[in-house]
Amino acid sequence: MAAAQPLLELRDVSKHFHGGGIFKQGRKVQANKQISLSLGVRECLGLVGESGSGKSTLGRVILGIEKPESGEVFFQGVNLYGKDKAAIRQVRRDLQVVFQDCFSSVNPRMTAGASISEPLENYTRLNYREQLRTVGELLELVGLNPEDAYKYPHQFSGGQLQRVCIARAISLRPKLIVLDEAVSSLDVVVQKQILDLLSKLREELDMSYVFISHDLSAVAHLADRLAVMCAGEIVERLDTMEDIHCLTHPVSVALLDAVLPALPENRAGTVCDIAAAAKTIGEERSSHGI
Ligand code: ADP
Ligand code: MG
């Protein structure tokens, strides 16, 4: 029997930019270098790496909005940069994104309800009453109240507004969400709540995630698999997060180092001990409900 088709498949994707401005003098930046990866249904791929390593570019390539110079991106078997525009439009609704900065992701002059119902208006033919009901249900799904539909962005906290952005992202019941540093600007307590919400929604709605972050402890919370990026390349991969202690690339080790306990006596010299320490922090966070 043939293996099931992956939800998302990238084959040898490369993307470069020419630096603009008087200081960069058109210097070529290779943001993504021959990247191949695949993702199955209900899987969460953690994409980590230092700032500038090419994570967001890869996220945009996956979303079909940043055309690579070479390589192919298949989503549900459709080449996102191919010729079949009708098929591309059809699968685009199954691909959504949540960014780090929720305040700039929504129009400050639009109520939460209006923001959430925008994708519904673009892709569905719900009448006013059905839209109202759907928006109320979506707000409840993300832990807010249906009445919150009438509030403006400035009337929400950062965590609440990120819930609104998640409600908007799931409004068309997508199959894949790219979460680009989606919890990075939130404090640890709210981070944990949003990570738990994302985990719950993934189960309930059968979604897959590409979870982009520079914070390995947040990634460890949600991801099934891991890809570490450095200078546009995937330099290390894990097929299970259980093996987090086996990471060896210097970038991976530095990311683990960043989640080490503050006290020097709790630090140990080996990579394995560093990883174990990182895991313990995650577990302690969970047991304390943060
Ligand atoms: P990350 O999300 O890991 O921080 P990015 O994908 O944003 O990394 O950026 C990777 C590299 O590509 C960086 O050197 C960045 O300056 C460059 N880059 C990203 N987008 C553009 C763009 N639109 N124009 C020029 N350079 C870009
Ligand atoms: Mg980024």
Side-chain angles (χ1 to χ4, degrees):
M1 203 172 77
Q5 181 189 44
L7 182 69
L8 173 76
E9 191 177 5
L10 272 68
R11 295 185 198 150
D12 276 334
V13 165
S14 293
K15 173 76 196 167
H16 69 254
F17 297 104
H18 287 286
I22 52 171
F23 301 115
K24 295 193 176 164
Q25 298 177 327
R27 194 171 53 88
K28 186 174 161 185
V29 176
Q30 193 69 50
N32 291 163
K33 219 181 284 177
Q34 296 207 299
I35 292 189
S36 296
L37 58 85
S38 69
L39 189 69
V41 174
R42 285 175 78 167
E43 265 190 330
C44 175
L45 173 70
L47 196 59
V48 295
E50 292 163 336
S51 181
S53 57
K55 306 182 297 296
S56 294
T57 303
L58 190 59
R60 292 196 301 274
V61 166
I62 289 170
L63 288 164
I65 55 179
E66 187 84 72
K67 192 175 190 304
E69 284 84 39
S70 59
E72 286 163 322
V73 181
F74 290 93
F75 179 63
Q76 298 188 89
V78 174
N79 182 347
L80 289 186
Y81 300 96
K83 292 201 172 76
D84 192 346
K85 301 295 173 210
I88 294 168
R89 181 177 154 78
Q90 192 56 37
V91 295
R92 272 289 290 127
R93 61 174 289 170
D94 289 332
L95 256 175
Q96 297 293 328
V97 60
V98 176
F99 294 108
Q100 170 172 5
D101 186 1
C102 47
F103 285 96
S104 63
S105 305
V106 290
N107 184 335
R109 293 193 189 83
M110 267 163 72
T111 60
S115 283
I116 294 168
S117 58
E118 229 178 12
L120 296 169
E121 280 170 15
N122 290 338
Y123 274 101
T124 67
R125 290 169 192 272
L126 299 182
N127 63 33
Y128 175 79
R129 195 179 271 275
E130 288 164 339
Q131 258 190 47
L132 202 65
R133 183 175 47 79
T134 307
V135 168
E137 284 169 3
L138 286 164
L139 283 165
E140 281 182 330
L141 253 178
V142 298
L144 295 171
N145 298 313
E147 306 83 67
D148 290 326
Y150 301 98
K151 288 190 188 166
Y152 287 88
H154 72 272
Q155 295 173 292
F156 291 102
S157 68
Q160 287 171 329
L161 195 59
Q162 198 56 305
R163 287 174 192 264
V164 171
C165 290
I166 293 169
R168 180 187 155 100
I170 62 171
S171 63
L172 294 169
R173 305 291 158 125
K175 301 221 165 40
L176 174 65
I177 304 186
V178 174
L179 300 150
D180 190 353
E181 305 277 4
V183 299
S184 301
S185 61
L186 307 171
D187 66 63
V188 282
V189 178
V190 180
Q191 250 189 39
K192 169 73 168 59
Q193 292 165 353
I194 299 293
L195 288 168
D196 286 345
L197 171 67
L198 290 168
S199 184
K200 179 194 89 144
L201 291 174
R202 173 158 73 125
E203 291 294 313
E204 286 180 11
L205 307 180
D206 280 336
M207 293 185 294
S208 303
Y209 296 147
V210 174
F211 186 82
I212 299 174
S213 181
H214 61 276
D215 177 358
L216 207 44
S217 65
V219 173
H221 209 93
L222 205 61
D224 308 304
R225 289 161 46 210
L226 187 74
V228 182
M229 285 189 73
C230 175
E233 284 181 276
I234 294 182
V235 291
E236 196 160 21
R237 297 172 194 255
L238 291 182
D239 280 332
T240 160
M241 295 304 283
E242 310 272 293
D243 293 342
I244 195 165
H245 55 279
C246 299
L247 289 170
T248 54
H249 190 277
V251 170
S252 320
V253 175
L255 291 168
L256 281 169
D257 213 8
V259 292
L260 270 177
L263 294 173
E265 58 265 35
N266 292 343
R267 296 180 172 217
T270 69
V271 173
C272 290
D273 288 340
I274 291 168
K279 220 174 167 195
T280 313
I281 301 170
E283 282 160 9
E284 280 173 5
R285 271 180 163 192
S286 297
S287 67
H288 289 94
I290 57 171

